[in-house]
Amino acid sequence: METSKKVKQQKKKVLLMGKSGAGKSSMRSIIFSNHVAKDVRRLGATIDVDKKRVKFLGNLLLDIWDCGGQDAFTESYLTSQKSYVFGDVGVLIYVFDVESSDFIDGAHGNSDRDLQTYGSIISALDEYSPNARIFTLVHKMDLVANEYRNEVIRSRTTAITARSGRFARTIGTYATSIWDETLYRAWGSIVNSLIPNLDVVEDGLRDLQRVTEAEEVVLFEQNTFLTVTRVSSEVGDENPNRDRYERLSNIIKTFKNSLSGYTESNSSHQFDSFTIKTLNFNLIINRLTYNTYVLVVFPPGEAELQCARLNILSAKDEFAQIESVAEGAEDDFRNRRGK
C-alpha cells in the first residue's frame, strides 16, 4: 500500500544553455515530453527563456529554464537579466554543437567564440550560484565518424575544462546524440546529482537485492525512464556491457510509448509489470511506486520468480516512504528503519 502523505516539495532550478541550434530543446523534448528523435526536427528555435516544471520522484520539482541561444538573448542574460537568470541555480547544463565552427580547433584555426560565451556564463554562475553543479554536453556526436569520436571528445573536454574556472574540478562532460543511448547516460547522471536522499534509496535497493539474490536492481523514474540509481552483486559488476542501463532506458521508454497506440489511456503508466524468463536468469520490470519502476535480474526458476514478485510487492510501501524523506532527514529515517 503506497503512502498518500503529503510531503514538502523540493525545487531545483536547472539552466539549459548553449548556442542556438545546438539541440537543447530537442533533447529536452525527448527526455521530458516523450518525443522521438525523428519528430524533434519540427521544433522551432527557443525565444528568450522557455520554462517547464517537471515533477521528478514525487517530492522533487525540476524548474527547467531552456534559454534561447541567439546572441541577443545571451547578451541579455549576461547583462540586464543576470541575477534573474543565474540566481538560485541548482544545475547548469551547457550544450556545445560538435560541428560549430566557433569552437576552437587548433588544426584549422577556427575562432573560440563558443568558449568565450561559455566562460562568461561560468563567471555569472560563479557570482550568483557558486554551489551549482555543471554538466557540459558535446552534442550531435552522431555526425562525427566513429574513428574520430574519442579524440574529438578528449579535445573538447580539455578545452571546456580550461574555461570552467573553479568548477573545473567537478564538471561532468558527456558526448551525446539524440539517436542513441548517450543522451540517457548524460541526463541520468544529471538527475542523479539532484536527488537529495539518494543514499537512502540505495539502502532500500540493497535490501531488495539481498532478499531476491539479484545480480542487479535498477530504479527508473516512471515518466522519463532515466536511471535513478542501481545496485549490483559481484556477478552483476562483471557484466561487460557498461552502457546497458542507458540502452534499457531507451528501449523501455520506446516500448512504453508504443503502447499508447494500443490503449485508450494517455496515462504515462501504461504497464505495471514486464517479465522475461530464460534458462539463465529471470528479469522483472515492475512498477514500484507512483513515480518509479524497478528492474530486478535474478536466478532462474519459477519459485525464484514468485518469491521476487512477493518481495517487490512488500517493498512498495517502504519505497513510497523513502521518496518522502526530506533533504537532511536521512539519518532520522535510517534510525526509524533500524539501520
Side-chain angles (χ1 to χ4, degrees):
M1 179 176 175
E2 295 178 18
T3 182
S4 59
K5 182 179 178 180
K6 189 173 182 179
V7 297
K8 183 179 179 180
Q9 299 286 350
Q10 300 177 56
K11 298 178 183 178
K12 298 285 187 179
K13 180 177 175 182
V14 179
L15 287 186
L16 182 57
M17 307 189 82
K19 186 177 180 179
S20 179
K24 305 181 297 296
S25 299
S26 296
M27 63 173 65
R28 188 197 74 180
S29 297
I30 290 171
I31 296 295
F32 293 105
S33 299
N34 294 324
H35 284 73
V36 295
K38 64 182 179 64
D39 292 336
V40 298
R41 296 172 179 173
R42 297 195 294 266
L43 296 175
T46 302
I47 305 300
D48 202 5
V49 179
D50 183 10
K51 300 176 186 177
K52 181 179 179 67
R53 174 165 289 181
V54 178
K55 188 176 182 181
F56 199 88
L57 289 182
N59 62 336
L60 179 60
L61 290 178
L62 304 183
D63 284 329
I64 300 176
W65 291 31
D66 185 355
C67 302
Q70 294 89 334
D71 291 344
F73 295 140
T74 301
E75 182 179 355
S76 175
Y77 305 150
L78 293 169
T79 53
S80 61
Q81 297 189 77
K82 197 174 182 181
S83 61
Y84 171 68
V85 172
F86 295 101
D88 300 317
V89 175
V91 168
L92 166 67
I93 304 167
Y94 199 91
V95 182
F96 289 94
D97 183 346
V98 73
E99 284 208 316
S100 174
S101 60
D102 290 325
F103 195 108
I104 190 168
D105 183 338
H108 299 91
N110 294 337
S111 76
D112 64 349
R113 185 178 174 190
D114 290 353
L115 287 171
Q116 289 178 18
T117 301
Y118 170 71
S120 298
I121 287 170
I122 291 298
S123 296
L125 190 71
D126 192 17
E127 180 180 355
Y128 289 98
S129 297
N131 296 319
R133 292 288 307 275
I134 299 178
F135 294 86
T136 58
L137 310 183
V138 181
H139 196 46
K140 304 183 183 178
M141 286 295 291
D142 56 285
L143 300 176
V144 179
N146 287 333
E147 61 267 31
Y148 299 121
R149 288 181 185 178
N150 288 339
E151 178 56 35
V152 167
I153 191 61
R154 269 198 301 269
S155 64
R156 294 292 196 271
T157 299
T158 299
I160 291 167
T161 302
R163 299 294 183 104
S164 298
R166 67 174 190 83
F167 295 103
R169 292 173 295 174
T170 57
I171 191 173
T173 300
Y174 296 86
T176 58
S177 167
I178 63 172
W179 300 102
D180 60 30
E181 69 281 352
T182 56
L183 192 63
Y184 288 89
R185 180 185 307 136
W187 278 88
S189 297
I190 292 165
V191 299
N192 182 278
S193 74
L194 292 169
I195 299 169
N197 57 344
L198 186 63
D199 53 348
V200 179
V201 174
E202 290 175 345
D203 285 345
L205 291 182
R206 289 188 188 96
D207 287 345
L208 183 58
Q209 178 199 5
R210 176 179 52 81
V211 297
T212 58
E213 300 182 349
E215 290 183 15
E216 294 191 283
V217 180
V218 187
L219 191 68
F220 296 101
E221 197 273 332
Q222 63 87 15
N223 184 46
T224 63
F225 252 91
L226 292 172
T227 301
V228 176
T229 190
R230 69 267 185 177
V231 298
S232 58
S233 67
E234 291 182 2
V235 174
D237 288 338
E238 293 174 357
N239 191 317
N241 299 304
R242 296 304 177 187
D243 61 351
R244 61 192 180 279
Y245 306 112
E246 295 78 25
R247 287 181 180 273
L248 282 168
S249 292
N250 199 356
I251 291 168
I252 298 168
K253 188 173 182 182
T254 300
F255 166 72
K256 186 169 70 78
N257 291 341
S258 71
L259 295 178
S260 62
Y262 301 95
T263 65
E264 296 180 358
S265 172
N266 291 322
S267 171
S268 58
H269 305 127
Q270 292 157 344
F271 74 96
D272 283 328
S273 183
F274 182 92
T275 303
I276 296 176
K277 296 189 290 184
T278 77
L279 294 175
N280 298 316
F281 66 88
N282 284 316
L283 181 150
I284 292 178
I285 302 172
N286 206 97
R287 177 138 172 240
L288 187 62
T289 70
Y290 183 82
N291 304 291
T292 60
Y293 282 85
V294 66
L295 179 147
V296 185
V297 182
F298 55 98
E302 186 62 28
E304 287 80 358
L305 178 61
Q306 297 307 323
C307 286
R309 285 174 172 163
L310 288 173
N311 282 309
I312 292 171
L313 182 63
S314 298
K316 286 188 173 187
D317 186 55
E318 180 178 0
F319 273 90
Q321 293 178 50
I322 288 174
E323 283 189 4
S324 69
V325 176
E327 188 169 10
E330 295 90 345
D331 290 341
D332 181 61
F333 181 79
R334 283 198 187 91
N335 291 334
R336 295 201 307 272
R337 295 177 70 216
K339 290 290 183 183

